[in-house]
Amino acid sequence: MAITDIDQYAHLTDADVEALGAELDAIRRDIEESRGDADARYIKRTIAFQRGLAAAGRVTLMFSNRKPAWFAGTAMLGLAKIIENMELGHNVMHGQWDWMNDPEIHSSSWEWDTTCPSVQWKHSHNFVHHKYTNIVGLDDDVGYGILRVTRDQRWEWWNIGNPIYNLTLGTFFEYGVALHHLETEKLRKKKKSYRQAAKDLKIIARKVGKQAAKDYVIFPVLAGPNWRSTLTANVTANFIRNYWTYMVIFCGHFPDGAEKFTVKEYEEEDQPRWYLRQMLGSANFRAGPLMRFMSGNLSHQIEHHLFPDLPSNRYEEIGVRVRELCDKYDLPYTTGSLLHQYAQSFRTILKLAVPNALLKATSDDAPETASELRFAIRGGMSNHFGVDPVTGKRRGLRTALRELKHAPVQPAA
């Protein structure tokens, strides 16, 4: 099963967890107190650049009957849509820039260039996902209602289609995100009425209609005789945005090391343990300045989950301090290349298409699914952790996981 005792899994004492929480609180205070003109210039310049890029793409596509113009216009429009969704829409609606008190760059007023209505996104993502991150049964982002991504999800016959659902979700990711608020799992379990879902669907339909009219009617018509090539360019730009955002999101949530948790763990949770759950339930990928920008700084998914409402341009700075805390408390800092993180996510999606009985390892000790019991089934693994009084070195989760690879499996009683 998923983690039920995060202290035991993390190999931290009560005092360790409280101290870790205090240090993370200090990081938040430092960033909040240092926000200022440089951050404001960053977001305003980003908005200006994104709008200029989108305008240039739209104008270029007026001449989309010529292949160079089609490719250039499509590329610019696709990049503009990525930046708007990732670095602007997602982050502005998290309230990262509300401190500026600028009505045009505020979580209460921003509507983004995608089919998901902002009002629904702020509930299903900002509230549900970030409050219940990776809690099986509470966080709908664990599989998005259609994918099996942990052995804690009971296998059903239709899970055989996991790889196909994954490809479909990536291709039409903006629509998957839009429909996410319908909460299909609650509908199946009759925890939400179809009348409520119908109301949500009407709001989604209005937003989908506006987006379709803009991309597939208005701008193609403005291109006159080049309407057909402009239409295909707009479709392609949306696919570019969809695949990129899908990959970034999946690389932050489903690689090995992004752990899952039980409702029991959540019920006994305080702020320091909420922090710890975010650290253990998220994954980063290595990125330079350009890649960070194009991912909305979600290459720092760990930092984003710790501080979702702090400015994204500060995540690299925050990441240095979070890494130092991971070293101090001997905790893993899950990261890798973009392709490596996605390969692990895809491997999980592929193998969980079949029942647990056909898989190796157990539901407590598999690459994609773990609990504190993974140490109990290995010889003596969970009996000693904390600071060694002789050496002064901490033996925490990172060391325990490293030792786990070489520890013998305990025979069944």
Side-chain angles (χ1 to χ4, degrees):
M1 60 166 59
I3 294 168
T4 61
D5 188 330
I6 198 168
D7 293 31
Q8 184 179 358
Y9 185 82
H11 287 62
L12 297 176
T13 65
D14 287 344
D16 289 334
V17 177
E18 294 300 321
L20 175 63
E23 296 198 66
L24 288 166
D25 281 339
I27 293 175
R28 166 177 283 282
R29 286 194 301 271
D30 289 346
I31 298 299
E32 287 178 336
E33 292 170 2
S34 64
R35 293 177 301 197
D37 292 342
D39 301 299
R41 284 195 299 272
Y42 170 81
I43 191 62
K44 289 178 180 179
R45 287 172 178 173
T46 298
I47 291 172
F49 172 71
Q50 185 276 329
R51 290 176 178 174
L53 190 62
R58 296 292 190 187
V59 171
T60 303
L61 289 175
M62 294 294 180
F63 309 95
S64 57
N65 60 318
R66 301 174 183 177
K67 285 188 177 180
W70 189 94
F71 282 107
T74 301
M76 287 189 284
L77 185 57
L79 290 174
K81 284 176 173 288
I82 287 172
I83 296 167
E84 198 285 329
N85 278 193
M86 305 297 284
E87 184 67 332
L88 295 178
H90 171 268
N91 293 335
V92 171
M93 288 191 293
H94 261 299
Q96 294 182 8
W97 306 98
D98 287 2
W99 59 273
M100 293 169 57
N101 293 317
D102 186 329
E104 294 184 3
I105 315 174
H106 200 277
S107 61
S108 64
S109 59
W110 193 276
E111 185 60 66
W112 57 350
D113 179 26
T114 187
T115 55
C116 180
S118 62
V119 64
Q120 293 184 351
W121 168 265
K122 284 183 284 191
H123 177 264
S124 61
H125 180 78
N126 294 9
F127 175 72
V128 176
H129 172 58
H130 278 270
K131 181 176 181 178
Y132 305 120
T133 307
N134 280 21
I135 298 175
V136 180
L138 292 181
D139 181 8
D140 293 332
D141 281 26
V142 178
Y144 289 86
I146 60 172
L147 295 174
R148 185 172 184 244
V149 294
T150 173
R151 302 188 194 201
D152 299 293
Q153 295 169 299
R154 180 181 296 178
W155 185 84
E156 304 284 353
W157 66 267
W158 51 267
N159 292 134
I160 294 172
N162 235 27
I164 298 173
Y165 310 147
N166 177 62
L167 176 61
T168 304
L169 181 61
T171 304
F172 302 102
F173 195 59
E174 64 171 320
Y175 297 99
V177 171
L179 293 172
H180 192 39
H181 189 75
L182 291 180
E183 301 174 303
T184 55
E185 189 68 22
K186 288 185 178 180
L187 284 174
R188 285 199 294 266
K189 294 180 178 179
K190 298 183 179 180
K191 293 181 179 180
K192 181 176 181 176
S193 71
Y194 283 95
R195 178 173 294 181
Q196 289 174 306
K199 291 180 180 179
D200 291 336
L201 196 58
K202 286 181 181 179
I203 297 173
I204 295 169
R206 282 197 295 268
K207 186 67 190 295
V208 169
K210 290 179 181 178
Q211 289 296 118
K214 173 174 66 70
D215 281 342
Y216 307 138
V217 179
I218 296 173
F219 281 106
V221 167
L222 290 175
N226 298 329
W227 69 270
R228 192 185 302 274
S229 53
T230 298
L231 176 61
T232 61
N234 287 352
V235 171
T236 304
N238 280 326
F239 282 156
I240 291 171
R241 183 269 316 280
N242 287 350
Y243 280 123
W244 177 248
T245 54
Y246 148 81
M247 178 172 281
V248 168
I249 297 305
F250 272 47
C251 285
H253 293 85
F254 303 131
D256 298 353
E259 307 297 355
K260 312 302 185 294
F261 306 87
T262 62
V263 175
K264 180 179 182 297
E265 160 54 37
Y266 167 73
E267 290 172 343
E268 300 173 0
E269 186 175 85
D270 54 13
Q271 181 62 31
R273 286 165 179 81
W274 181 88
Y275 277 140
L276 186 56
R277 175 161 57 85
Q278 305 308 315
M279 295 175 72
L280 298 182
S282 311
N284 288 3
F285 61 84
R286 293 191 296 270
L290 179 59
M291 185 76 82
R292 290 198 299 270
F293 178 71
M294 293 305 299
S295 69
N297 282 284
L298 293 181
S299 53
H300 281 291
Q301 192 72 236
I302 295 171
E303 288 73 22
H304 174 61
H305 274 180
L306 286 169
F307 308 112
D309 57 348
L310 292 184
S312 59
N313 65 309
R314 307 293 292 275
Y315 284 161
E316 176 72 5
E317 171 189 349
I318 294 170
V320 173
R321 297 177 66 176
V322 172
R323 273 184 177 272
E324 291 173 351
L325 289 179
C326 288
D327 290 339
K328 179 177 179 179
Y329 291 93
D330 198 28
L331 293 171
Y333 185 84
T334 305
T335 190
S337 70
L338 179 69
L339 292 179
H340 178 266
Q341 300 298 74
Y342 182 73
Q344 288 189 339
S345 301
F346 183 73
R347 181 211 61 205
T348 293
I349 291 167
L350 188 64
K351 75 178 186 178
L352 291 185
V354 301
N356 290 350
L358 299 180
L359 300 173
K360 294 181 179 180
T362 71
S363 296
D364 296 302
D365 189 21
E368 78 291 339
T369 304
S371 81
E372 64 275 11
L373 296 179
R374 75 187 314 177
F375 303 107
I377 65 174
R378 306 287 182 126
M381 288 298 299
S382 64
N383 297 327
H384 56 286
F385 58 88
V387 177
D388 188 316
V390 177
T391 65
K393 292 184 178 180
R394 183 182 297 276
R395 184 188 176 282
L397 177 59
R398 187 161 59 186
T399 297
L401 290 173
R402 187 163 55 243
E403 293 176 354
L404 187 69
K405 295 179 181 179
H406 308 291
V409 178
Q410 294 283 71

